[in-house]
Amino acid sequence: MIAVDFDSQIYGIDSNTGATWAIAPGENLLINSMAKNSAGQIYVAGSDASGVGHAPLALLDLDRARFTIVADVPLQTIRGMAFGSGDVLYAIESGFADIDDLYTIDPLTGMVQFVGSTGHTAIQSLAYWNGLLYAYDNANLVPGPGLVTIDPATAQTTDVNPAVSSGTNDFQTLCFDSAGVLYGASTILATIDTMTGKPDVYAGLYPLVRGMEFMDPIPYAMRLTVVGACPGTLQAAIMGGSPRDRIAFLYSIGSSGPVAIPSGPCRGTVLELGANASLGVMSNSGQFGNARSIEFPVPAVTCGQLRIQALNLTTCETSNVVLVD
């Protein structure tokens, strides 16, 4: 899973254990929501840092762990987002008198359309499954809201189970996995039964997570991310290895290959790098199977030409290739 906190720091989360690791430091964004469309693109939005009443909508580049602002949304605070049928983007804003309103957002232009008022005051999350929006109202009332469904056409809400209140659970984000299991997170990680509204908290999280989504699978054993601006100082990181694997971060300049490793323990393994592929740095994966390189300088002349790929010397598996632009 990929996650962000309010200060736009990016984290990886193991959905089975709740193990969390930092991927990239924050940028100048205040993030309160995350949503993934059918193409696997991940958007984030949150609060207006300038005070003019417009919140930026940004696209997350997983390869480079950075955000690109794609639209200016005329909403003050976007508390939750979810893509619905036809990739319609829905958003919750804390509106007049703190009543949570439902909008749609055009990701290309940032234009919004008011759908309706939910009548709730403490929704901080939104997710979509099988024709319905799901949200979690954190108002600490007994009996009280907790998990609710929202009609995407009218914003009418239904309490999934009035006997189950939010209580001490405070969910800042919701998302579904591919099987339709609902997950919620903040400083805790839980699955939430969509029939009963009951959360099953199974892990604590060290960041306060404000947005979370499952990443689409890639045809590689490991996922590589390269953090930092070019020219400048970069750092490469992988997830998807096993504890104590030996990881080599390889690079080439110019052509993209493929090229087969000519010798050594991984002889014959095909890389998606050029014939000038070289060893950059080595690292060992930690207890969660993640590895990070030391920081390394990259000159301007290589920007747009430098390709990086990770090779697991323990298994001879490879990662995706990241073009450093």
Side-chain angles (χ1 to χ4, degrees):
M1 304 171 82
I2 197 77
V4 291
D5 66 11
F6 187 67
D7 295 318
S8 70
Q9 296 184 80
I10 304 172
Y11 299 88
I13 299 177
D14 186 323
S15 62
N16 294 314
T17 65
T20 307
W21 57 93
I23 295 176
E27 300 181 20
N28 189 28
L29 289 173
L30 302 179
I31 295 176
N32 218 0
S33 56
M34 175 181 281
K36 184 180 72 172
N37 65 16
S38 62
Q41 295 175 306
I42 294 176
Y43 289 79
V44 298
S47 299
D48 171 28
S50 66
V52 298
H54 283 226
L57 179 68
L59 190 60
L60 171 59
D61 180 347
L62 285 172
D63 285 353
R64 298 286 281 114
R66 64 189 178 189
F67 301 99
T68 300
I69 295 175
V70 295
D72 187 43
V73 181
L75 298 175
Q76 181 72 36
T77 302
I78 299 174
R79 299 291 183 89
M81 290 196 307
F83 281 96
S85 177
D87 273 341
V88 174
L89 180 57
Y90 295 92
I92 289 288
E93 185 202 30
S94 181
F96 179 75
D98 290 329
I99 300 297
D100 299 321
D101 296 328
L102 181 67
Y103 290 84
T104 61
I105 301 174
D106 184 333
L108 297 178
T109 66
M111 296 298 293
V112 301
Q113 181 70 44
F114 178 72
V115 177
S117 174
T118 67
H120 291 259
T121 60
I123 291 176
Q124 294 277 355
S125 54
L126 202 62
Y128 178 89
W129 186 262
N130 199 25
L132 286 175
L133 291 164
Y134 288 80
Y136 206 89
D137 188 322
N138 291 319
N140 191 11
L141 304 174
V142 182
L147 186 66
V148 299
T149 61
I150 304 176
D151 186 324
T154 65
Q156 180 178 345
T157 65
T158 302
D159 192 336
V160 170
N161 186 350
V164 177
S165 67
S166 58
T168 58
N169 296 313
D170 177 15
F171 292 111
Q172 297 288 321
T173 182
L174 299 175
C175 69
F176 282 95
D177 70 7
S178 60
V181 177
L182 180 61
Y183 288 75
S186 55
T187 54
I188 55 176
L189 183 62
T191 56
I192 305 173
D193 191 315
T194 56
M195 299 299 293
T196 67
K198 293 181 179 179
D200 179 15
V201 178
Y202 63 93
L205 301 177
Y206 74 81
L208 172 54
V209 173
R210 296 298 186 100
M212 178 178 71
E213 284 287 353
F214 282 87
M215 294 177 287
D216 282 356
I218 58 175
Y220 302 92
M222 301 179 293
R223 183 184 289 272
L224 173 68
T225 298
V226 179
V227 181
C230 189
T233 301
L234 304 184
Q235 190 174 47
I238 63 101
M239 61 181 84
S242 297
R244 295 178 295 280
D245 282 348
R246 188 67 170 156
I247 306 298
F249 294 96
L250 310 173
Y251 71 94
S252 67
I253 307 294
S255 64
S256 59
V259 63
I261 297 175
S263 61
C266 292
R267 182 171 63 91
T269 299
V270 176
L271 303 174
E272 296 173 46
L273 299 175
N276 62 352
S278 303
L279 173 64
V281 293
M282 303 275 288
S283 182
N284 292 323
S285 56
Q287 62 175 321
F288 304 131
N290 308 306
R292 188 181 297 272
S293 75
I294 60 172
E295 294 183 338
F296 52 93
V298 176
V301 68
T302 64
C303 297
Q305 300 291 320
L306 174 63
R307 289 176 168 83
I308 299 175
Q309 187 171 27
L311 172 67
N312 189 327
L313 295 175
T314 305
T315 64
C316 295
E317 295 171 317
T318 60
S319 75
N320 56 303
V321 176
V322 174
L323 174 64
V324 178
D325 53 6

